[in-house]
Amino acid sequence: MEQNSRLEAASLTPGTVRPGGRTAKVRAAVLEATQEALIEGGFHALNLDRVAARAGVGKTTVYRRWGSAAGLVADLLRDMAEQSVPAADTGSLEGDLLANARLVHRTLTDPRMGPVFQAVIAAAACDEECARALNGFYATRIRAWAPCVERAAGRGDVPVGTDAGEVVRAVSAPLYYRFAVSREPLHEADAVRAAAVAVTAAKAGSFTRN
Amino acid sequence: MEQNSRLEAASLTPGTVRPGGRTAKVRAAVLEATQEALIEGGFHALNLDRVAARAGVGKTTVYRRWGSAAGLVADLLRDMAEQSVPAADTGSLEGDLLANARLVHRTLTDPRMGPVFQAVIAAAACDEECARALNGFYATRIRAWAPCVERAAGRGDVPVGTDAGEVVRAVSAPLYYRFAVSREPLHEADAVRAAAVAVTAAKAGSFTRN
């Protein structure tokens, strides 16, 4: 669902930039700086001047290309969406959805990625461009994991006509509910339960399209 | 889960204040003005001076008593939590959880309450006091609806040891996930599915405590 490969790459090898020309390097540096700023201060403290300074990029470039804090967050989300992590393929729906639930749990409780997700959810609640970018990010992740459910339908483990996207959403939803809505601690047991509930309901046909 | 009785009372009878002394009237006016401001501009545009002017209350009072935009939102959430709407008691778990899902759906798609919930979720992502208040709000709502599941356990409709709070969370979670995380449109079918999934999984024992 989520991934933090860019973040991990950045923290393991500071100063590394992804391949590409000058424009790609500037973007990488600015998005790294944006992410660091979100981790430290959240969306409402995100400041273009400080992002530019941290990225070692001219302010004019940052203002011209991203325009606003919301523009930075939206582009960070597009970048995160592009960096796909392959979905699990364990051979069973139980195994695949548990892998998904554990990945979401790990991401949201990660001391660096947790604050990033708090910040992008806040940004989406404040700004329409960020909301669209966050929608795009999850649409990409849902599409990536839907084949787990489609394979289960092919094996006859869930009814034909099961809405794969809805099953994938059902795994994430209880974890995000605690994380961003009811603001309760997230435990690994919550991930295990989320996967089990989704599997049980999917097998019983609760996710078939009407 | 959510309710909008205060909002509805306010829009039906403008100028009405709840019973109580001067302090209670000031609080009611300030929280009404806070809610209106959140509907219009969201959390990041919330401004104490404008709330004071709109409420017809001195700025000094608002600054002294609420201190910040986050203080206003946190108090609004405490006020919302206090105004309990009785949970459903239809005689079946299906009926009760469907009533809950429909209430959540109605609240989040309400043209006035939807923006209020976007704003408080954003506020909670930005501010610790708001996060605690939002947590308190949902804790109150979850406690109010848990008896629906406890009655079902008493009737033998779900296994003994079913975690009632988790079942209630499971009804809300997919609706809030679309509303605040994946930013997808919310349809009544989503509410119907959320309730059905929770009932199916609860009856199958997916919510029993380990």
Side-chain angles (χ1 to χ4, degrees):
Chain A
M1 202 80 189
E2 290 72 34
Q3 50 77 45
N4 51 10
S5 60
R6 192 168 65 79
L7 178 72
E8 282 165 359
S11 56
L12 290 171
T13 53
T16 300
V17 290
R18 284 169 294 181
R22 163 96 190 125
T23 304
K25 285 180 185 175
V26 166
R27 183 180 181 223
V30 167
L31 295 186
E32 289 289 352
T34 298
Q35 187 164 272
E36 289 302 314
L38 291 178
I39 292 166
E40 285 172 19
F43 174 61
H44 68 306
L46 189 63
N47 177 286
L48 270 70
D49 291 359
R50 285 199 293 273
V51 166
R54 182 170 221 155
V57 167
K59 285 186 197 184
T60 321
T61 303
V62 175
Y63 277 92
R64 197 177 50 225
R65 184 148 167 206
W66 287 277
S68 66
L72 286 172
V73 170
D75 199 36
L76 177 64
L77 282 165
R78 282 187 287 269
D79 185 65
M80 288 164 71
E82 284 157 19
Q83 296 174 45
S84 67
V85 165
D89 186 0
T90 65
S92 76
L93 185 63
E94 285 83 350
D96 289 355
L97 297 190
L98 184 59
N100 182 271
R102 285 192 195 279
L103 177 60
V104 174
H105 171 260
R106 208 160 51 236
T107 302
L108 298 182
T109 56
D110 182 271
R112 293 171 59 80
M113 291 313 287
V116 171
F117 277 87
Q118 288 292 2
V120 298
I121 288 167
C126 298
D127 179 89
E128 200 42 53
E129 184 187 2
C130 292
R132 278 193 303 273
L134 193 60
N135 173 271
F137 173 79
Y138 288 107
T140 304
R141 291 291 174 264
I142 292 166
R143 265 196 307 276
W145 284 83
C148 300
V149 183
E150 289 155 6
R151 287 192 303 268
R155 287 189 301 262
D157 292 343
V158 300
V160 173
T162 295
D163 186 327
E166 278 307 317
V167 178
V168 175
R169 286 180 187 90
V171 175
S172 283
L175 306 176
Y176 276 96
Y177 178 78
R178 284 177 173 270
F179 177 74
V181 179
S182 70
R183 314 288 308 198
E184 296 170 274
L186 254 185
H187 301 292
E188 199 171 352
D190 298 313
V192 173
R193 190 194 310 106
V197 166
V199 168
T200 299
K203 291 191 171 183
S206 302
F207 292 105
T208 48
R209 288 190 193 80
N210 300 324
Chain B
M1 204 78 188
E2 291 72 35
Q3 50 77 43
N4 51 11
S5 60
R6 192 168 66 79
L7 179 71
E8 283 166 358
S11 55
L12 291 173
T13 52
T16 300
V17 288
R18 284 169 293 181
R22 163 97 191 125
T23 304
K25 285 180 186 176
V26 165
R27 184 181 181 221
V30 167
L31 296 186
E32 290 289 351
T34 298
Q35 187 165 272
E36 289 302 315
L38 292 178
I39 291 166
E40 285 172 18
F43 174 61
H44 68 304
L46 189 62
N47 176 287
L48 271 69
D49 290 359
R50 285 200 292 273
V51 166
R54 183 170 220 154
V57 168
K59 283 185 197 184
T60 321
T61 303
V62 174
Y63 277 91
R64 197 178 50 226
R65 185 148 168 204
W66 286 276
S68 66
L72 286 172
V73 170
D75 199 36
L76 176 64
L77 282 164
R78 283 187 287 268
D79 185 65
M80 287 163 71
E82 284 157 18
Q83 297 175 45
S84 66
V85 166
D89 186 1
T90 65
S92 76
L93 185 63
E94 286 82 349
D96 290 355
L97 296 190
L98 185 59
N100 182 271
R102 285 191 195 281
L103 177 61
V104 174
H105 171 260
R106 207 158 55 233
T107 302
L108 298 182
T109 56
D110 182 90
R112 293 172 56 79
M113 290 314 286
V116 170
F117 278 87
Q118 289 291 3
V120 298
I121 288 167
C126 298
D127 179 89
E128 201 40 53
E129 184 187 1
C130 293
R132 278 193 303 273
L134 193 61
N135 173 271
F137 173 79
Y138 288 107
T140 304
R141 291 290 174 266
I142 292 165
R143 264 197 307 277
W145 285 83
C148 300
V149 183
E150 289 155 5
R151 286 193 303 268
R155 287 189 301 261
D157 292 343
V158 300
V160 173
T162 295
D163 187 327
E166 278 308 317
V167 178
V168 175
R169 286 180 186 90
V171 175
S172 283
L175 306 176
Y176 275 96
Y177 178 77
R178 284 178 173 270
F179 177 74
V181 180
S182 69
R183 314 289 307 198
E184 296 170 275
L186 253 186
H187 302 292
E188 200 172 351
D190 298 313
V192 173
R193 191 193 311 105
V197 166
V199 169
T200 298
K203 291 191 171 184
S206 302
F207 292 105
T208 49
R209 289 190 192 79
N210 301 324

